[in-house]
Amino acid sequence: MFGLTSGFKSPYLFKKRACDSTKPVSKEPDFSRLALDVLTGVSFEQAFLEMLSDPALQFYFRSTINPFCQLFIVNNQLKLTAQKHDMLSEELRTVLLSQYSEHEHDFAFQDNAGKRYVFYGFPVWSEQKQLLGNVFVACFKPVSDCEQFTFAFKPFLVAVGKILEVQAVKHQQLERAIENERKEFAADLHDTVAQVLSYLNFKTSSLKNLCEAKGNHLRLKNNIQDIHQQVIYANRLTRELIGSSRVQLSCHPISKAIQLIVDEYESLSGIVFEIDNRCQPEVDSLGSANEIIYVVRESITNLVRHSHASHARILVRKSAHNTVLLRIEDNGIGIDKTAKRRDSFGLKIMQERMHKAGALLEVEPRQGGGTQVSIFLPLQQTSFSVNP
Amino acid sequence: MSYLKDLLSSWFRHHGTSPNLKAIINSLENAVIIIGKDNTLQYANSYWTHLSGHLPHESQHTVFSEFIHPEDRVLWLTHLQKFYQSSETPNPVWLRLINDNDDKVYWCEIRVQRLYPNSPYPLSATIFDITPQIRSDQVKEAHYRSLKSQINRIPAMLYRSRNDLNWTMEYVSDGCNTLTGYAPKQMINNAELSYGSLIHEDDRESVWRNVQKAIQSDKCFEITYRLQHARGETIKVYEKGCAIFSESGSILAIEGIIFTLNELP
């Protein structure tokens, strides 16, 4: 493995020596700008490729290192980026990733076409001397002057180090954001459960007092009924928490998740399901995917359990006011609002979830019979002001 | 357009005079459209409104793909590409048209042909509404799927076998996996092993005798015997079944269900 020389000389002196002196010397590539790009949202891969397309850098490589080299970077999340993606065969990917954790980075590799490469690995360090990743250089023939080779790479490695460092910070920020969201979700749920339990506590006290008095049987009965409903509600919230945990494991886009839910329920019922998705790109770009998938699953569960339907359709299309309409409709018996169970909170929870996501949920009879659950999901910054 | 030609020929034969072509085309319960070089609609008959929700003159100069369901647009373009690349008349394409009026989708069979034999453009197309057929197929599929998954979830093995000493299985449900430890495909038509070979050696004769006795008296049989599980252990099973006869009285198959009785003493 090549170590970086401690005495750093300006690469531009080297470049002058190696290049044709009649050609103008290129301006120094602006690596710091690329690191900033990564910080402001440009992906690591994009920044890397952009860096390699920089004319100054290309000139630098061609003239100083080896005109027949390709570059690969392994960063600290073990993601691999290549100058030319078609070079990254599965076999090569496996070899490079396995070399990442090894001390010895120089090795030969023969691809499927029989072409041989010699790989040279360079560690990339942060300013705090933490290993951020490795740069691998694939050459068609071994390098004769290793010291010169290493020296020429120094500024490039420094730039890659900056990008990887920025990316590491971004990764940490993302991890924190996910953790905060989880905490917020748990806090909200705990808050609701705590409120229910406080209410139960109050009612239990009241019940206790009533039991001590005489001739209050009717009021006693009403209180017991109320407590019973609240206990069921708390139970439902707990089940919802379990369900949400399962949904959060899903990493599919919304369209794919809907398809998977439908596949699942198709095998569990005799209902004909039809997915009519007219705006897949828009629906897959929506935020609050977990909330949406939860509501779709809940609606389809209710449909299968209660609707007595033979057909169901999941319609996704653009709607007025810059929204996406997601509608789950069936041709079943419809909802009898007078027969609504007082201990049923499914709809309330769905509405709360959609309200939190800035969406509007409507449950109404379907024209021609059955029920339709319509969810109006805002695109961009549109949101609905609704009372939960 | 052979369909239209036949229709017109028939008209001429019966009436002997030139009919009002426009009236005939508008009376059809299929949509007839003409598509120009830039894939825009140049003409549509009255039935087009039923499918698309748009009046024919409103649809003129609109790109035809815009009426197609977004998920089927690639299919349409691929079909057109094949149409131009092949000298033969392509098979009709099935895709969905969106009706903006009632928010419904219509499944359609579209047949494309050249309007003029020597010119690639414009194209004429006949559009048949096949939604009822598709719906009917979907219902059949749903019934089949539902029944199949229901049978396969039953915690027992449903089967149809031949009446031979091997009990050659023509069909076994997924319960076979749990009951015997073998997959259905290993057992169907004795692909890898026969059900008969799994029956405990000492019970094979009594199983055969009891089943034949029930068949001869035209009754269902109920038997209990020991079975060799793939895990190597011997389990106790309960089987209830009956024979299926042809009208002439010959035995076509044995059908039944087998449960494990392992938990019983």
Side-chain angles (χ1 to χ4, degrees):
Chain A
M1 180 178 120
F2 303 138
L4 291 175
T5 50
S6 54
F8 177 68
K9 298 172 190 170
S10 167
Y12 299 96
L13 289 175
F14 177 80
K15 186 160 67 176
K16 278 179 186 172
R17 191 175 62 209
C19 301
D20 180 351
S21 58
T22 58
K23 287 183 182 174
V25 176
S26 301
K27 202 179 140 190
E28 184 179 356
D30 186 7
F31 297 130
S32 57
R33 184 181 61 80
L34 290 165
L36 270 176
D37 284 348
V38 173
L39 191 64
T40 54
V42 176
S43 73
F44 169 72
E45 287 78 5
Q46 201 179 332
F48 173 57
L49 294 174
E50 197 178 321
M51 184 164 71
L52 291 177
S53 65
D54 186 302
L57 193 73
Q58 281 186 354
F59 177 73
Y60 178 66
F61 277 149
R62 276 200 308 275
S63 56
T64 61
I65 302 169
N66 188 332
F68 302 108
C69 72
Q70 297 292 338
L71 300 166
F72 300 87
I73 291 183
V74 182
N75 74 2
N76 53 353
Q77 278 94 49
L78 285 183
K79 285 180 183 169
L80 209 64
T81 304
Q83 185 181 5
K84 284 190 177 175
H85 284 277
D86 55 357
M87 281 189 72
L88 270 178
S89 67
E90 272 311 306
E91 194 188 351
L92 179 55
R93 189 180 285 274
T94 310
V95 171
L96 286 178
L97 289 179
S98 68
Q99 292 289 329
Y100 173 75
S101 55
E102 303 293 330
H103 293 294
E104 182 57 61
H105 285 327
D106 307 338
F107 61 97
F109 177 79
Q110 185 166 347
D111 68 14
N112 290 338
K115 196 177 278 184
R116 282 186 65 82
Y117 302 94
V118 180
F119 278 86
Y120 299 95
F122 298 89
V124 181
W125 304 94
S126 71
E127 284 181 4
Q128 286 77 37
K129 302 294 172 200
Q130 283 179 320
L131 182 66
L132 295 167
N134 283 278
V135 170
F136 288 94
V137 186
C139 295
F140 294 148
K141 52 185 179 181
V143 173
S144 53
D145 188 343
C146 292
E147 195 182 342
Q148 177 186 326
F149 191 47
T150 307
F151 179 74
F153 254 99
K154 174 84 180 183
F156 179 70
L157 295 179
V158 170
V160 171
K162 279 181 185 169
I163 293 180
L164 287 180
E165 206 162 7
V166 168
Q167 203 210 16
V169 171
K170 263 182 74 182
H171 184 73
Q172 283 171 3
Q173 285 173 345
L174 190 66
E175 289 282 330
R176 273 201 296 273
I178 292 169
E179 187 59 32
N180 286 342
E181 194 183 357
R182 282 183 185 150
K183 280 180 186 166
E184 195 182 314
F185 178 74
D188 280 353
L189 188 76
H190 291 160
D191 190 37
T192 316
V193 173
Q195 281 178 25
V196 173
L197 291 175
S198 299
Y199 182 74
L200 281 175
N201 191 20
F202 172 74
K203 282 289 179 183
T204 315
S205 301
S206 175
L207 183 66
K208 191 181 166 192
N209 292 336
L210 281 169
C211 285
E212 286 166 4
K214 290 180 181 176
N216 265 327
H217 293 301
L218 184 62
R219 287 176 62 194
L220 190 66
K221 192 180 169 189
N222 289 341
N223 274 274
I224 291 171
Q225 180 66 24
D226 205 359
I227 289 170
H228 181 60
Q229 280 179 26
Q230 293 300 326
V231 168
I232 291 171
Y233 185 36
N235 186 33
R236 180 65 195 258
L237 285 171
T238 314
R239 286 202 292 131
E240 189 209 1
L241 177 62
I242 296 164
S244 301
S245 308
R246 284 178 186 155
V247 168
Q248 282 181 348
L249 292 176
S250 166
C251 53
H252 298 293
I254 294 173
S255 300
K256 177 73 177 169
I258 292 174
Q259 180 67 58
L260 291 174
I261 294 169
V262 166
D263 289 347
E264 179 189 338
Y265 280 90
E266 265 187 341
S267 68
L268 299 172
S269 72
I271 297 173
V272 176
F273 283 92
E274 181 189 352
I275 299 178
D276 181 1
N277 186 353
R278 302 180 193 177
C279 51
Q280 187 193 331
E282 288 84 355
V283 77
D284 285 347
S285 68
L286 290 169
S288 308
N290 285 333
E291 309 290 329
I292 295 165
I293 293 167
Y294 170 83
V295 171
V296 170
R297 178 177 280 279
E298 189 69 9
S299 302
I300 294 178
T301 305
N302 289 337
L303 190 159
V304 171
R305 289 180 66 194
H306 307 300
S307 74
H308 297 206
S310 63
H311 281 77
R313 177 167 77 144
I314 292 93
L315 168 68
V316 188
R317 67 164 169 80
K318 283 184 192 166
S319 188
H321 308 299
N322 204 22
T323 57
V324 167
L325 167 65
L326 199 163
R327 177 175 286 160
I328 298 115
E329 59 181 8
D330 65 70
N331 66 344
I333 56 173
I335 295 177
D336 181 2
K337 288 190 175 171
T338 58
K340 185 179 181 296
R341 280 165 49 191
R342 291 184 64 195
D343 59 353
S344 174
F345 298 97
L347 181 59
K348 189 180 167 191
I349 292 170
M350 280 160 61
Q351 275 171 330
E352 278 175 6
R353 285 211 162 205
M354 286 297 90
H355 175 62
K356 202 174 164 187
L360 179 67
L361 183 140
E362 288 175 354
V363 181
E364 55 196 353
R366 174 180 164 269
Q367 206 174 12
T371 309
Q372 64 182 36
V373 177
S374 304
I375 308 163
F376 294 91
L377 299 150
L379 282 165
Q380 297 165 358
Q381 295 304 311
T382 317
S383 70
F384 296 97
S385 176
V386 284
N387 296 319
Chain B
M1 294 291 275
S2 61
Y3 173 73
L4 273 179
K5 281 177 189 167
D6 292 346
L7 192 77
L8 291 172
S9 305
S10 164
W11 178 280
F12 284 127
R13 274 200 305 277
H14 287 94
H15 296 81
T17 54
S18 174
N20 181 340
L21 189 60
K22 193 177 171 186
I24 292 176
I25 292 179
N26 282 332
S27 71
L28 296 175
E29 292 218 338
N30 310 310
V32 178
I33 59 170
I34 294 175
I35 303 168
K37 187 179 178 180
D38 47 1
N39 201 20
T40 56
L41 272 184
Q42 291 184 348
Y43 169 82
N45 70 345
S46 298
Y47 199 75
W48 168 253
T49 307
H50 172 76
L51 295 176
S52 71
H54 294 277
L55 291 168
H57 70 269
E58 289 173 351
S59 309
Q60 271 184 340
H61 310 301
T62 307
V63 175
F64 179 61
S65 302
E66 287 186 16
F67 300 102
I68 298 174
H69 194 286
E71 290 179 339
D72 295 343
R73 283 174 191 166
V74 173
L75 181 68
W76 167 248
L77 294 174
T78 312
H79 183 76
L80 277 188
Q81 204 174 8
K82 277 185 190 166
F83 175 78
Y84 285 119
Q85 285 170 354
S86 168
S87 55
E88 294 173 8
T89 308
N91 291 327
V93 61
W94 289 13
L95 44 75
R96 291 166 289 177
L97 293 184
I98 295 173
N99 187 314
D100 287 335
N101 271 359
D102 57 12
D103 225 1
K104 287 182 184 168
V105 290
Y106 286 87
W107 277 98
C108 296
E109 179 182 281
I110 305 182
R111 291 175 183 272
V112 182
Q113 47 273 308
R114 288 185 171 88
L115 191 61
Y116 307 113
N118 299 322
S119 170
Y121 302 103
L123 299 173
S124 66
T126 43
I127 308 176
F128 298 83
D129 178 9
I130 54 166
T131 312
Q133 181 190 334
I134 295 280
R135 295 273 179 268
S136 170
D137 289 348
Q138 286 173 334
V139 169
K140 280 180 199 162
E141 278 171 27
H143 285 167
Y144 172 73
R145 190 187 60 226
S146 170
L147 186 65
K148 190 182 170 193
S149 54
Q150 196 178 341
I151 285 172
N152 285 330
R153 279 196 298 270
I154 292 174
M157 184 178 105
L158 272 77
Y159 71 88
R160 185 188 306 117
S161 81
R162 297 199 185 99
N163 186 32
D164 59 29
L165 284 169
N166 285 323
W167 302 112
T168 305
M169 293 294 172
E170 292 174 9
Y171 167 80
V172 289
S173 67
D174 284 357
C176 177
N177 289 305
T178 313
L179 187 88
T180 67
Y182 295 101
K185 65 178 182 184
Q186 290 178 280
M187 204 168 287
I188 290 170
N189 289 324
N190 301 338
E192 289 179 32
L193 74 165
S194 69
Y195 183 77
S197 68
L198 298 180
I199 298 173
H200 193 284
E201 210 172 341
D202 296 342
D203 294 345
R204 284 178 197 166
E205 195 188 326
S206 65
V207 167
W208 175 258
R209 199 175 53 243
N210 287 328
V211 172
Q212 301 312 312
K213 194 176 162 185
I215 291 171
Q216 281 160 20
S217 50
D218 202 12
K219 286 180 181 170
C220 286
F221 58 86
E222 285 183 62
I223 48 178
T224 306
Y225 53 91
R226 287 165 292 175
L227 201 69
Q228 196 70 31
H229 194 276
R231 287 192 301 264
E233 63 192 78
T234 303
I235 59 164
K236 207 170 179 182
V237 297
Y238 164 79
E239 178 175 345
K240 185 168 185 174
C242 58
I244 307 298
F245 295 96
S246 69
E247 280 188 11
S248 60
S250 47
I251 301 167
L252 296 176
I254 310 286
E255 288 181 341
I257 184 164
I258 307 169
F259 298 90
T260 177
L261 287 175
N262 236 15
E263 61 275 19
L264 295 179

